[in-house]
Amino acid sequence: MRPLSESFNPLQFPNLLVGLQTSDDAAVWRLNDTHAIVQTVDYFPPIVDVPYAFGAIAAANAMSDVYAMGGEVIFGLAIAGFPADFPPEVITEIFRGGAEKMAEVGAVIAGGHTVQDAEPKYGLCVTGLVHPGHIATKGGVQAGDALILTKKLGTGLISTAAKNGRCDAGVLADAVASMARLNRTAAQIMMEVGVHAATDITGYALLGHANEMAERSAAGLRIRAEALPVLDGALACARDGQASGGTGRNRKYLADKVRLPANLSGEMNDLLHDPQTSGGLLIATPPAQAAEMMRRFATAGQDAWLIGEAIETPGLEVV
């Protein structure tokens, strides 16, 4: 039997352009000089009560890893688990939500696999294409880069409050719409203008994913708290004590990795560590290109906010 280290040695596979050696958003396998496969997988239990919305959000979340790498989605395979007595009509709506979200970009769910499970779960293994010479990764941030975020924060706080019956219906509806919105337009524009690095914001929260970028780059990141876009009602949910268990785990993991201001409010602290579902892209682009990228985002109706910059000091700080 071969040692485990040999089985996972990327140097033995020169066409594996992005894999376990970088722990990036998705794996990338070169097919030829102009095409590479981007592949990722993600699934989770329901975070909203509407089956169709859950399916759409889960699909958008899984597709986001391909967009974070600068690729285009072409097809997906569904992965799901449901209790034996789970209502068939609910399963149908979950699958329909996922399929129609894929159809938005001309992609298709080509198959999949379902098992019995005590807790419902749904997601996708997503396959996309990208040019092997134009791949966005988490590493590569350079000092002076502008940091751009393409979705508001707070989905974890809001979905947790909703589960506990502590969230206004309108606040939840806005969060659901944000989670179901694809990152495709943002990805297309960032690749047209040019980036040094990018990732999508999901379960490790804004700080966790920003820290990954800093650890893989020769520059640090500075995030400006007052510049962060926040979903309506999210900070109120934080003040109401609706932070999830994931928030605490993120905070514990990042405690010695992130420099936070002494006067940071409790609700802002929760927001920075809040696990996001289908969050936006965090983009590091040269300052000379940031204005053009923001202009194109505005023209396309794509939300975007300048939230900080890359600095020479290693690591991650919030000011």
Side-chain angles (χ1 to χ4, degrees):
M1 180 180 295
R2 291 190 302 169
L4 186 62
S5 59
E6 292 184 12
S7 300
F8 290 92
N9 182 5
L11 297 179
Q12 295 179 351
F13 303 92
N15 286 321
L16 182 62
L17 303 182
V18 181
L20 288 174
Q21 73 274 28
T22 59
S23 299
D24 225 292
D25 287 306
V28 182
W29 183 275
R30 178 174 48 210
L31 298 176
N32 52 44
D33 290 342
T34 58
H35 292 86
I37 290 175
V38 190
Q39 195 164 72
T40 185
V41 60
D42 206 328
Y43 69 104
F44 46 75
I47 60 168
V48 293
D49 291 334
V50 179
Y52 179 91
F54 167 50
I57 291 168
N61 184 76
M63 295 163 72
S64 184
D65 283 340
V66 172
Y67 294 132
M69 304 291 288
E72 283 286 356
V73 173
I74 54 175
F75 73 92
L77 300 174
I79 50 174
F82 300 109
D85 59 350
F86 208 63
E89 62 274 16
V90 174
I91 297 175
T92 297
E93 282 298 284
I94 293 172
F95 285 163
R96 187 171 72 88
E100 292 189 359
K101 184 55 59 175
M102 290 280 284
E104 282 188 24
V105 299
V108 63
I109 293 181
H113 187 67
T114 303
V115 298
Q116 287 189 8
D117 198 343
E119 183 179 34
K121 298 177 180 68
Y122 173 73
L124 296 175
C125 176
V126 181
T127 299
L129 291 175
V130 69
H131 192 291
H134 302 283
I135 303 169
T137 63
K138 295 176 183 177
V141 179
Q142 297 183 21
D145 281 352
L147 302 180
I148 298 173
L149 184 64
T150 65
K151 283 189 183 182
K152 294 180 179 180
L153 301 169
T155 60
L157 288 161
I158 291 171
S159 59
T160 299
K163 289 179 182 178
N164 294 330
R166 306 281 293 183
C167 180
D168 179 80
V171 168
L172 178 60
D174 287 347
V176 168
S178 178
M179 290 186 285
R181 188 166 63 251
L182 295 173
N183 282 320
R184 186 191 190 201
T185 298
Q188 289 173 333
I189 292 172
M190 79 172 184
M191 297 307 289
E192 290 169 2
V193 176
V195 298
H196 283 153
T199 189
D200 64 329
I201 307 303
T202 52
Y204 292 137
L206 174 64
L207 290 189
H209 292 287
N211 180 66
E212 289 179 324
M213 293 176 74
E215 288 182 336
R216 290 161 175 77
S217 302
L221 274 65
R222 175 184 291 140
I223 291 173
R224 302 187 180 278
E226 75 279 0
L228 294 178
V230 185
L231 286 164
D232 289 345
L235 293 179
C237 291
R239 287 191 290 270
D240 191 38
Q242 299 305 311
S244 68
T247 303
R249 289 188 292 273
N250 286 338
R251 185 181 288 112
K252 182 177 180 180
Y253 174 75
L254 294 165
D256 61 349
K257 300 177 184 296
V258 181
R259 302 182 292 275
L260 298 174
N263 62 346
L264 187 70
S265 67
E267 58 263 32
M268 183 58 68
N269 191 302
D270 283 346
L271 182 80
L272 288 163
H273 294 91
D274 183 39
Q276 303 299 285
T277 299
S278 189
L281 300 182
L282 178 59
I283 301 165
T285 189
Q289 297 171 188
E292 174 63 12
M293 189 176 293
M294 294 296 286
R295 185 191 69 79
R296 294 197 190 190
F297 282 152
T299 300
Q302 167 65 54
D303 289 341
W305 296 265
L306 288 164
I307 66 164
E309 58 277 331
I311 56 178
E312 292 185 0
T313 304
L316 173 63
E317 66 180 36
V318 178
V319 297

